[in-house]
Amino acid sequence: MEEHIPAVSGEKMTSRKHTMSIKNLIIIVFILILIVSVTSIAYLVFTRWHESAVETVARISDSINKQIHQQVTSFMDEPGKINEANHKLLRDGILDIQDTEKRERFFVGALRAFDEKIYSFSYGTADGYYYGARRNEAGVVQIMRNDASTGGNSWYYTVNTDRSAGEIATRLGQFDPRTRPWYHTAVQAGDVAFSPPYKHFVMDDLTISVAIPVYNSSGMLEGVMGTHMLLSGIGEFLVETAEPYKGDAIIVERESGLLIANSMGSPNFTARADGSLDRKHIDQVGDESLKQAFEMFTRSGQTHFSYLRDGKL
């Protein structure tokens, strides 16, 4: 009995091979389209996320900048208003600077009424005498006295309940207000003026003073009234403002790039052996991003721009 083996024609085999190739091609094309689609969607999502992140960061930064600007403006405006209001008492003879009791009650009461940002409120006479009130390291108000009775030295007194001078709390050395930057600045301006930052006579801190000259009816200089602020107070505010956002804030002099205050805990100056200051430049903060951002600002003059720190948003 003959066995019959079914034959498959070459034409059918060729057709099956072509059919399999087309299926594979369709699958490959579908996979490629899927990959392109997913990649495109991911790119769009990332792009929009990045744009949204940039916008969010910009809004937060702008909000912080406005908050810092408003606070610093308020910080700097208040002393000017204090001087404007109070120097008239001396100018018009309402307050007799030679009346020790009234003078010291006036300065103590005034300083207690001011914001704690104000370190001291004082009056330096054209004769080189110096009177006023200050807050010590613990924030306690003390009376300042420097005249013939103290031998030209600065003495600080505790304050009694009636705002008169109590016991001597601290005796310091010779001090002449006429040699201080705030006194010079006010006399040269002939009106309310801001001093450049300078090292405080007592505190280990930078100080800015707002001062106004006092003239008598003949136009002769009687002295200079000054309101003095420690710049460490601005630094503390910058820390409180920037820390919740894991950011940094820094204030520098526009022209020189010298530090005024910062939130990073970096010292704004170092003291030399002779007591003078070696103020730090923004280049010395140790943050390349801040340095380059400041350089970008000085080159372009723009007050709003984005900058990537270490390649990260």
Side-chain angles (χ1 to χ4, degrees):
M1 183 176 177
E2 295 183 3
E3 183 178 358
H4 296 280
I5 300 174
V8 180
S9 67
E11 184 178 350
K12 289 184 178 180
M13 291 181 67
T14 301
S15 176
R16 183 177 297 176
K17 288 180 180 179
H18 286 173
T19 300
M20 293 295 291
S21 298
I22 291 172
K23 285 181 180 179
N24 289 338
L25 181 61
I26 292 173
I27 292 172
I28 291 171
V29 170
F30 175 77
I31 291 173
L32 289 174
I33 292 173
L34 182 62
I35 292 173
V36 170
S37 299
V38 170
T39 302
S40 300
I41 292 171
Y43 174 77
L44 291 173
V45 169
F46 175 78
T47 301
R48 291 178 180 176
W49 170 83
H50 186 267
E51 291 175 352
S52 176
V54 170
E55 291 175 359
T56 300
V57 171
R59 284 197 301 270
I60 293 174
S61 177
D62 188 57
S63 175
I64 294 174
N65 285 337
K66 288 180 179 177
Q67 186 177 352
I68 291 174
H69 182 268
Q70 290 172 355
Q71 183 71 13
V72 172
T73 299
S74 174
F75 187 91
M76 303 305 291
D77 283 349
E78 185 176 354
K81 295 176 181 177
I82 290 170
N83 288 345
E84 284 279 8
N86 288 287
H87 92 285
K88 298 174 184 178
L89 300 177
L90 290 170
R91 183 196 65 188
D92 299 338
I94 298 173
L95 174 64
D96 181 3
I97 201 67
Q98 301 304 323
D99 187 326
T100 302
E101 185 177 334
K102 289 183 179 179
R103 179 189 71 221
E104 293 178 345
R105 285 181 176 176
F106 163 74
F107 280 107
V108 169
L111 184 60
R112 284 177 173 172
F114 301 157
D115 191 286
E116 291 185 359
K117 298 187 300 290
I118 306 301
Y119 163 76
S120 65
F121 180 46
S122 65
Y123 181 68
T125 73
D127 296 325
Y129 297 158
Y130 189 60
Y131 306 112
R134 72 152 187 173
R135 290 185 171 91
N136 66 9
E137 294 83 350
V140 178
V141 174
Q142 295 178 334
I143 290 170
M144 302 188 299
R145 192 186 296 171
N146 182 332
D147 54 21
S149 68
T150 67
N153 298 303
S154 290
W155 290 4
Y156 300 87
Y157 297 79
T158 60
V159 179
N160 296 323
T161 54
D162 63 353
R163 292 182 295 173
S164 62
E167 298 178 353
I168 297 176
T170 306
R171 285 186 174 95
L172 295 179
Q174 293 281 313
F175 177 80
D176 188 338
R178 297 170 298 183
T179 65
R180 305 303 288 167
W182 55 271
Y183 193 101
H184 290 162
T185 303
V187 172
Q188 290 173 3
D191 201 349
V192 177
F194 284 86
S195 74
Y198 63 92
K199 170 69 171 61
H200 193 271
F201 173 66
V202 179
M203 309 293 281
D204 187 21
D205 203 346
L206 277 178
T207 308
I208 284 182
S209 300
V210 183
I212 185 170
V214 178
Y215 300 95
N216 61 24
S217 58
S218 301
M220 297 294 292
L221 179 69
E222 293 284 339
V224 174
M225 176 174 284
T227 306
H228 315 283
M229 301 161 292
L230 302 179
L231 293 185
S232 57
I234 298 180
E236 292 169 1
F237 166 73
L238 293 182
V239 172
E240 294 172 0
T241 303
E243 191 173 33
Y245 301 97
K246 306 302 179 184
D248 295 323
I250 189 168
I251 298 176
V252 301
E253 292 182 354
R254 180 192 293 264
E255 300 299 328
S256 66
L258 296 176
L259 298 186
I260 295 293
N262 68 86
S263 66
M264 292 88 72
S266 178
N268 299 304
F269 67 92
T270 55
R272 299 189 182 98
D274 61 0
S276 61
L277 290 184
D278 181 14
R279 295 184 58 194
K280 286 199 171 183
H281 192 273
I282 189 172
D283 293 352
Q284 299 173 280
V285 173
D287 190 313
E288 188 66 22
S289 301
L290 286 174
K291 174 185 173 182
Q292 293 187 23
F294 180 72
E295 290 175 352
M296 185 183 298
F297 163 72
T298 54
R299 285 196 308 268
S300 66
Q302 297 180 21
T303 56
H304 291 79
F305 56 85
S306 298
Y307 183 83
L308 296 180
R309 168 177 281 185
D310 302 326
K312 300 178 182 179
L313 181 64

